[in-house]
Amino acid sequence: MESTTFDQPKQQTSAGCSGTAALIVFSLYVIVTTLILQTVNFSLVQAIFEGSFKIPNIRWMFTLGFGLLLFVPLIIAERLVKEPVGRARIQVLRNISILVMLLAPSHWPFITNWQLTASFQIAGLAVFIIVMLFLRNKNTLNNPSLGDSLTEMIFTGLAAGAIPGIPWVMWGALGSVTDILLALLVSIGLGVALIFAAGPMLVGMTGDVNSKPEDHRLGAAGWVLSLSILILTTAVDQNGNGWLLLVSMLPMGFGIAALAINRDGISSLPAKMAAGTLAALGFLWPILMIDPDELSLVISSSNGELFGVAAKAAGIGFLLSLFVMVGLILRRHYSTKGINRAAMMFGVFIVVWAGLIGLFISQGTPGFYGEKIFVILKEQTDLSNEKKLTDAMERRKAVYTALVKNAEESQKDIRAWLDSRQISYRPYYLVNAIELDADPILRAEISARPDVDRVLDSPILRPLKDPIPVARGEMNDLDKTPWGITAIGADRVHDELGVSGEGIIIGQSDSGVQGDHPQIAAQYRGKVDGSNDFNWFDPWNGSKSPVDIGGHGTHTMGTIAGVTTGVAPKAQWIGCVNLARNLGNPGYYLDCMQFMLAPFPQDGNPFTDGKPEKGAHVLNNSWGCPVVEGCDPETYLPAVSALRTAGVFVVASAGNSGYGGCSTVQDPLAIYEDVYTVGAVDIQGNLAGFSSLGPVEVDGSHRVKPDIVAPGVDVVSSYPSSTYYSAGGTSMAGPHVVGVVALMWSANPKLIGNIDLTREILNETADPYTGSVPECVTLSGQPAFASGHGMVNAYRAVQKALEIR
């Protein structure tokens, strides 16, 4: 029959060994090249996600280059290999390299925009399939079943493809309906594209129905398909899920070949359809059940987190794929004379899928867990009148009232519009905003509304099947006072000035706090009040009393208010969970900021039940909200401005991106003028290498940050399980300054709510920074882009505070 560039004559007889030699050489070449690109892509994504280094998203260039590196030598080899069988195998890999280049644009969107990435992938797959349909020989398309039952083959593919899905449905979780639809389309496209790409190799097995090819023919086909899968899992990789696909699918190549080449040695149309079904399901499970945005090591590498869960699922998926491969190979040699094979495979299909669905419902995590959007309205609250009030508490109450009033009035139209569509949402007032679930169509509609300023992503981590183990520190007891306490002179404040933070309420938004840790249990205001209402809020997990799984919040709180680890050991604290796992979003962060301004009962309404008189005086924020969490530079600008007007002193850690050089103070809240930003130094007084540097450039302000530095290396503090842990980061530095402000305000209550004067005292009493300075820092004198006004000095700051009349 007539053939095209993509098809070979029916009779593929060997005429030499050049094809085998070429396949061996290119196998090594493909494996090495693919593994290098997988490593480069994974490293690039991790670096972009972490954010320290300003690395452009050039993944699409690597993918395009990868495709070209495969395509060019394969074209040359195609011309050199003469025997049809070997040439057909080279053509399969050449087709896959073309598909890789068509998939390159899918790596242009930002790393967390999976829906747009999937849309690009679907488009690339569609173009490839259409081209292959156009170029393929129509006799091949119309190839009769040659004894294969379409029903039998499809049910075989469906049943076989479901088996490797077992670990994924048990340990993974679904996204939104849109995520599911996109995952299905991508996977179906990959399955169909793989079979079309393999056409030159499979079409040659449809000729002589009376002659069976040797077993090595099947083995070679399986090997080529395995190489194709290796390449494709790299081409569609998103944030590292390529290695999941690779591990779980690798044995599938031989299983696909065994299904595509039936027991008569023929690759019929039903057999190809079944093989495509098997391939599609192999691709589907990791894409469907694991959110690639959550695979970053920054957020998911800790014990019990998604990275380990996904690795376990991929390993078991590999074994199950191996089981399927063996079963499909043996099936070719198993006689079923006298048996209705279609009915038998239908029965197997029902049993396997019923079991899979049953496992998902009983052992998995049923439900839809898609991303949300954060809608910021145009009309933010004008607090110019409230700023004129001189009484701190009166001003705080007025700010809360004005914020709530503005939100309720300006949100009326959009709330009514959402209510009419029965769409649930969560309103906010500290930033006039609304959070809700939305598909791309609804998002576009909301973005077009005249009362909407902009729409941000609000990523939600899909739930884990098993609870994350509670962290445990490296020490059971504390044998000496942490060095940071003495370095800033806090011990002298306690001993010589008799000030320990009495009467001041610390508000912390973090991973949580172990409420019964001996260092900080007595200082929890809820223990004093006898109630968690107005004292503890957990928008993540709904816990009713202070708890901490990860340890970060317990550590930072210990540095602020610990009995022997704290700067202000007699200050009281209230807490909120905004980062129970290592990926927050604009909504969670704002939930806690609102609670700190005007706490409310556990099941209360922030709009109607808030009590500003119960709010925190000083806020610790040892977190940042980067773009991967949905924030832009202006997200919390209205919030921090309102908090400052309300007389709340907001402290934020500068960030740990200092190795990326200057202008690495780049995420809210640390970038704002209304926030007091803290960098980190070590015990020798040198700036920590990780401590983020100014100036702030993300908002074009060229603002000097950090404002001050404090101990942030090898800081020992409280940790879950009533233990202690030595940690480093600007997260550890910020709490020192929070404690100092508590001491100042405790020493002189007249300073409470006076943000300007408090900042002035901190700046004036700081010790000049005399340590090493990064090369990129060009501003001499104080303040500096590396160290701000210098090292915080608690003793001098409290002395100065006492002088205020």
Coordinates of all heavy atoms in Angstrom, one line a residue, residues 167 170-173 302-306 308-309 312 362-365 462-470 549 581:
P167 N -2.9 3.6 44.3 CA -2.2 4.5 45.3 C -2.6 6.0 45.2 O -2.7 6.7 46.2 CB -0.7 4.3 45.1 CG -0.6 3.8 43.7 CD -1.9 3.0 43.4
M170 N -6.0 6.7 46.7 CA -5.9 6.5 48.2 C -5.3 7.7 48.9 O -5.7 8.1 50.0 CB -5.2 5.2 48.5 CG -6.0 3.9 48.2 SD -5.1 2.4 48.7 CE -4.9 2.6 50.5
W171 N -4.2 8.2 48.3 CA -3.4 9.2 48.9 C -3.5 10.6 48.3 O -3.0 11.6 48.9 CB -2.0 8.8 49.0 CG -1.8 7.5 49.8 CD1 -2.5 7.2 51.0 CD2 -0.9 6.4 49.5 NE1 -2.1 6.0 51.4 CE2 -1.1 5.4 50.6 CE3 0.0 6.1 48.5 CZ2 -0.4 4.2 50.6 CZ3 0.7 4.9 48.6 CH2 0.5 4.0 49.6
G172 N -4.0 10.7 47.1 CA -4.2 12.0 46.5 C -5.5 12.6 46.8 O -6.3 12.1 47.6
A173 N -5.8 13.7 46.1 CA -7.1 14.4 46.2 C -7.4 15.2 44.9 O -6.5 15.6 44.2 CB -7.1 15.4 47.4
S302 N 8.8 18.5 54.2 CA 8.9 18.1 55.6 C 8.2 16.7 55.8 O 7.4 16.2 54.9 CB 8.2 19.1 56.5 OG 6.9 19.4 56.1
N303 N 8.4 16.1 56.9 CA 7.9 14.8 57.3 C 6.4 14.8 57.2 O 5.7 15.6 57.8 CB 8.4 14.4 58.7 CG 8.0 13.0 59.0 OD1 7.9 12.1 58.1 ND2 7.9 12.7 60.3
G304 N 5.9 13.8 56.4 CA 4.4 13.6 56.3 C 3.8 14.5 55.2 O 2.6 14.4 55.0
E305 N 4.6 15.4 54.6 CA 4.0 16.3 53.6 C 3.9 15.6 52.2 O 4.3 14.5 52.0 CB 4.8 17.6 53.5 CG 4.3 18.7 54.2 CD 2.9 19.3 53.7 OE1 2.5 18.8 52.6 OE2 2.4 20.2 54.3
L306 N 3.4 16.4 51.2 CA 3.0 15.8 49.9 C 4.1 15.2 49.2 O 3.9 14.2 48.5 CB 2.3 16.9 49.1 CG 1.8 16.4 47.7 CD1 0.6 15.5 47.9 CD2 1.4 17.6 46.9
G308 N 6.7 13.4 50.1 CA 6.9 12.0 50.5 C 5.7 11.1 50.1 O 5.9 10.0 49.7
V309 N 4.5 11.7 50.3 CA 3.3 10.9 49.9 C 3.3 10.6 48.4 O 3.0 9.5 48.0 CB 2.0 11.7 50.3 CG1 0.8 11.1 49.8 CG2 2.0 11.9 51.8
K312 N 5.8 7.9 47.5 CA 5.3 6.6 47.9 C 4.3 6.1 46.9 O 4.3 5.0 46.4 CB 4.7 6.6 49.3 CG 4.1 5.3 49.8 CD 3.7 5.4 51.2 CE 2.6 6.3 51.5 NZ 2.1 6.2 52.9
S362 N -13.8 5.2 50.5 CA -13.6 4.7 51.8 C -12.2 5.0 52.4 O -12.1 5.2 53.6 CB -13.9 3.2 51.9 OG -12.9 2.5 51.1
Q363 N -11.2 5.0 51.6 CA -9.8 5.2 52.0 C -9.2 6.5 51.6 O -8.1 6.8 52.0 CB -9.0 4.0 51.6 CG -9.5 2.6 52.1 CD -9.5 2.5 53.6 OE1 -8.5 2.9 54.2 NE2 -10.6 2.0 54.1
G364 N -9.8 7.1 50.6 CA -9.2 8.3 50.0 C -9.7 9.6 50.7 O -10.2 9.6 51.8
T365 N -9.7 10.7 49.9 CA -10.1 12.0 50.4 C -11.1 12.5 49.4 O -10.8 13.4 48.5 CB -8.9 13.0 50.5 OG1 -7.9 12.3 51.3 CG2 -9.4 14.2 51.2
R462 N -4.4 21.0 48.7 CA -5.3 19.8 48.8 C -5.0 19.0 50.1 O -3.9 19.0 50.5 CB -5.2 18.9 47.6 CG -5.6 19.6 46.3 CD -5.5 18.6 45.1 NE -5.5 19.4 43.8 CZ -5.5 18.8 42.6 NH1 -5.3 17.5 42.6 NH2 -5.5 19.5 41.5
P463 N -6.1 18.5 50.7 CA -5.8 17.8 52.0 C -5.0 16.5 51.9 O -5.0 15.9 50.8 CB -7.2 17.5 52.5 CG -8.1 17.4 51.2 CD -7.5 18.4 50.3
L464 N -4.3 16.2 52.9 CA -3.5 14.9 53.0 C -4.4 13.9 53.7 O -5.2 14.2 54.5 CB -2.2 15.1 53.7 CG -1.2 16.1 53.1 CD1 -0.1 16.4 54.1 CD2 -0.7 15.6 51.8
K465 N -4.2 12.7 53.2 CA -5.0 11.6 53.8 C -4.7 11.4 55.3 O -5.5 11.2 56.2 CB -4.8 10.3 53.1 CG -5.6 9.1 53.6 CD -5.3 7.8 52.8 CE -6.1 6.7 53.4 NZ -5.7 6.3 54.7
D466 N -3.4 11.4 55.6 CA -2.9 11.1 57.0 C -2.5 12.4 57.6 O -1.9 13.3 56.9 CB -1.8 10.1 57.0 CG -2.2 8.8 56.4 OD1 -3.4 8.3 56.7 OD2 -1.5 8.2 55.6
P467 N -2.7 12.6 58.9 CA -2.2 13.8 59.6 C -0.7 13.9 59.6 O 0.0 12.9 59.7 CB -2.8 13.7 61.0 CG -3.1 12.2 61.2 CD -3.4 11.7 59.8
I468 N -0.2 15.1 59.5 CA 1.2 15.3 59.6 C 1.7 15.1 61.0 O 1.1 15.6 61.9 CB 1.6 16.8 59.1 CG1 1.1 16.9 57.6 CG2 3.1 17.1 59.2 CD1 1.3 18.3 57.1
P469 N 2.8 14.4 61.2 CA 3.3 14.2 62.5 C 3.7 15.5 63.2 O 4.2 16.5 62.6 CB 4.6 13.3 62.3 CG 4.4 12.7 61.0 CD 3.6 13.7 60.2
V470 N 3.4 15.6 64.5 CA 3.8 16.8 65.2 C 5.3 16.9 65.3 O 6.0 15.9 65.6 CB 3.2 16.8 66.7 CG1 3.6 18.0 67.5 CG2 1.6 16.7 66.6
I549 N 1.5 22.1 64.7 CA 2.0 20.9 64.2 C 3.5 21.1 63.7 O 4.4 20.3 64.0 CB 1.2 20.4 63.0 CG1 -0.3 20.2 63.4 CG2 1.8 19.1 62.4 CD1 -0.4 19.2 64.5
R581 N 0.2 24.7 57.1 CA 1.2 24.0 56.2 C 1.9 25.1 55.5 O 1.6 26.3 55.6 CB 0.5 23.1 55.2 CG -0.1 21.9 56.0 CD -1.1 21.1 55.1 NE -0.4 20.5 54.0 CZ -1.0 19.9 52.9 NH1 -2.3 20.0 52.8 NH2 -0.3 19.4 51.9

